[in-house]
Amino acid sequence: VAFGLFGFAALGASFPYYYVKNHQTKNRNLLQQQDPLSGSQVIRGAYLNTGSKDAGPDPTGIGKLGATKGNISLLKKHSKSHKLNKTKMSNKSVDVEAVDVDLVAGMFEASLFLPSENEYELKQHTIGNFELTLYSHPAASTDYDLTGIIVWPVSKLLSFYLVHKQQCLKDMFVLELGSGCGLPGLVASSLQNCNEGFGERKNQTHGRVVLTDCEEEVLKVLSKNVKHQISLIPETTSFLTSEYLLWGNETEQIFEAAAFREKYTKVPDIFIAADVFHPSFGSPKQVFDTILLMSSSTEKLKNMLRTKHDEETLPLEKKVEEKRKDIELWVGFVDRGNMTEVLEASVVAGFAHKIVILDEFVPEEFMKEVLSFSDRILMIVVFTKTVYE
């Protein structure tokens, strides 16, 4: 009896160890996985499966030389200079010289998971009495890296607000953050040209609209839509552009902001953005910091770079008289439980805010469409601040 009780206790005590060990082995993080990816893991997309750590074991052993496992570019680069006769993969001996490096690289080529050119559809969007066509992907969802290739309801909501406030856009320099397909920005540009009296441009920034994004694939479709818009309205050729703009990297942002100010000379009057406060995009502070940098004087930005890099050879820019300027940020906001965090970040950055009543300009049919799409609350929030350019 004593022996049986002892055995039972030992078995019970060992159960958690074996359970945890087997559970961790079965559900371990893909970044730590040594085995080849399964079919379901591959389907999850390029941005998960083409990274340098989750493409499975490195059949050449290059990882031991300093490269991370599965780094295809390094696999190509070193395949000729590091030919190992044998290595072990999945407990089987593999002749590496017999492996087609280009084939292996192609298996994890990002383009295999990205939309092809012919997958984008030219679709007409009706915003009140205003109509606009642009290219977008017909999918209902995608990886967060590629959310910009789809036109989301919140972009339409912001577009409705732009049409509602079209007189406020007259002669305004508009910059869109995280444009994606660019529906709000293209609506803003079209409004600059379709309203009476909008044809006269005082200079290169009056009535200009700049659309920005940071994802390479998204920028392709954004650029395509800009060109399409210009082909329909040739007058916008000099006043509608798309640019690369990333937030979250302070040093890079300063360089980008300085280059932007050099190119366009003027601080944007109105910033517009749809769903830029998605938690996966970083903290709300980064968005407001980006706007403040884009609103800074060229001299201030250059001095910030000097301070950042402590370059004694770079002289301080002469202080020039700065002018007061009121800027606004019009946001199509999707409430994901982070509203308080966003408003707190805006207060810290010195912005005032107001929430717009949607009943004044949003059709009831559109709101019904939104409710059928998601139970999340959509809203328009306007942030304002006085800056010195």
Side-chain angles (χ1 to χ4, degrees):
V1 174
F3 181 78
L5 290 174
F6 177 79
F8 179 77
L11 181 64
S14 62
F15 175 75
Y17 169 77
Y18 286 105
Y19 175 80
V20 171
K21 182 177 179 181
N22 292 334
H23 182 74
Q24 287 180 340
T25 300
K26 182 180 289 187
N27 298 285
R28 58 176 172 257
N29 192 308
L30 285 178
L31 298 181
Q32 301 174 347
Q33 180 168 312
Q34 295 293 321
D35 302 323
L37 296 176
S38 67
S40 63
Q41 290 166 346
V42 171
I43 291 174
R44 290 179 66 182
Y47 287 91
L48 177 64
N49 301 318
T50 58
S52 61
K53 296 183 179 180
D54 66 344
D58 181 359
T60 67
I62 295 173
K64 298 176 182 178
L65 302 175
T68 51
K69 298 185 292 296
N71 189 317
I72 301 304
S73 60
L74 286 175
L75 181 62
K76 283 184 175 181
K77 180 178 180 181
H78 296 287
S79 60
K80 293 182 180 180
S81 58
H82 296 284
K83 288 195 174 182
L84 307 179
N85 292 327
K86 299 285 181 179
T87 186
K88 287 190 175 181
M89 182 168 61
S90 303
N91 298 321
K92 293 182 179 180
S93 183
V94 177
D95 187 347
V96 175
E97 291 189 359
V99 174
D100 188 332
V101 174
D102 289 329
L103 176 62
V104 173
M107 291 172 63
F108 298 100
E109 185 66 39
S111 61
L112 293 177
F113 303 94
L114 298 176
S116 61
E117 186 73 17
N118 59 8
E119 287 184 47
Y120 292 106
E121 298 178 355
L122 187 62
K123 185 177 180 181
Q124 179 173 294
H125 297 270
T126 302
I127 311 296
N129 295 325
F130 184 81
E131 293 183 348
L132 182 141
T133 57
L134 56 77
Y135 290 93
S136 61
H137 199 278
S141 63
T142 184
D143 288 334
Y144 77 87
D145 305 78
L146 295 176
T147 54
I149 66 175
I150 299 174
V151 176
W152 300 94
V154 68
S155 293
K156 293 184 179 180
L157 176 64
L158 181 56
S159 299
F160 275 113
Y161 184 66
L162 292 172
V163 173
H164 176 64
K165 301 287 288 185
Q166 59 185 14
Q167 289 304 318
C168 296
L169 294 174
K170 183 176 181 179
D171 291 335
M172 293 291 104
F173 182 13
V174 179
L175 172 70
E176 183 176 17
L177 297 173
S179 298
C181 295
L183 177 61
L186 295 173
V187 168
S189 176
S190 298
L191 290 172
Q192 295 279 29
N193 292 277
C194 72
N195 287 273
E196 183 179 356
F198 276 40
E200 295 295 328
R201 308 298 179 96
K202 297 179 181 178
N203 56 48
Q204 67 162 344
T205 58
H206 276 243
R208 172 175 285 279
V209 178
V210 179
L211 288 71
T212 69
D213 210 290
C214 65
E215 295 293 344
E216 181 180 356
E217 183 65 24
V218 176
L219 281 168
K220 290 179 182 178
V221 68
L222 180 60
S223 176
K224 185 175 183 177
N225 281 327
V226 167
K227 292 177 180 178
H228 174 69
Q229 180 81 344
I230 291 175
S231 70
L232 298 177
I233 311 176
E235 294 81 4
T236 62
T237 301
S238 302
F239 298 93
L240 176 62
T241 52
S242 60
E243 302 279 1
Y244 169 86
L245 179 63
L246 173 71
W247 61 78
N249 183 317
E250 183 180 359
T251 302
E252 183 175 348
Q253 281 183 268
I254 297 174
F255 275 108
E256 290 175 355
F260 181 89
R261 288 303 312 277
E262 288 280 359
K263 182 174 182 178
Y264 295 107
T265 71
K266 187 174 180 284
V267 171
D269 302 291
I270 299 173
F271 295 83
I272 60 176
D275 204 15
V276 291
F277 294 115
H278 192 292
S280 65
F281 297 158
S283 71
K285 177 181 180 297
Q286 295 174 348
V287 176
F288 293 109
D289 286 348
T290 298
I291 293 173
L292 292 179
L293 283 174
M294 302 298 284
S295 304
S296 300
S297 66
T298 305
E299 292 73 20
K300 181 179 179 180
L301 291 168
K302 289 181 178 179
N303 289 334
M304 289 173 67
L305 286 173
R306 181 187 185 280
T307 303
K308 190 77 176 173
H309 294 281
D310 194 25
E311 298 177 3
E312 297 296 336
T313 57
L314 182 62
L316 284 170
E317 294 292 323
K318 294 182 179 179
K319 185 173 180 59
V320 298
E321 182 180 352
E322 295 180 327
K323 300 178 181 178
R324 288 170 57 93
K325 179 182 179 69
D326 294 327
I327 61 171
E328 296 186 7
L329 168 62
W330 300 356
V331 176
F333 184 78
V334 181
D335 190 0
R336 296 184 173 85
N338 60 337
M339 184 65 168
T340 301
E341 182 185 2
V342 171
L343 296 183
E344 287 178 350
S346 72
V347 171
V348 172
F351 285 83
H353 73 273
K354 69 175 181 178
I355 298 176
V356 178
I357 299 175
L358 302 184
D359 293 343
E360 297 179 357
F361 61 92
V362 179
E364 183 178 350
E365 299 77 26
F366 174 74
M367 293 309 298
K368 289 181 180 178
E369 177 186 345
V370 170
L371 290 175
S372 66
F373 182 84
S374 171
D375 58 356
R376 298 193 185 278
I377 298 175
L378 304 188
M379 61 184 74
I380 297 292
V381 185
V382 175
F383 299 91
T384 57
K385 180 180 174 64
T386 299
V387 298
Y388 295 86
E389 61 172 329

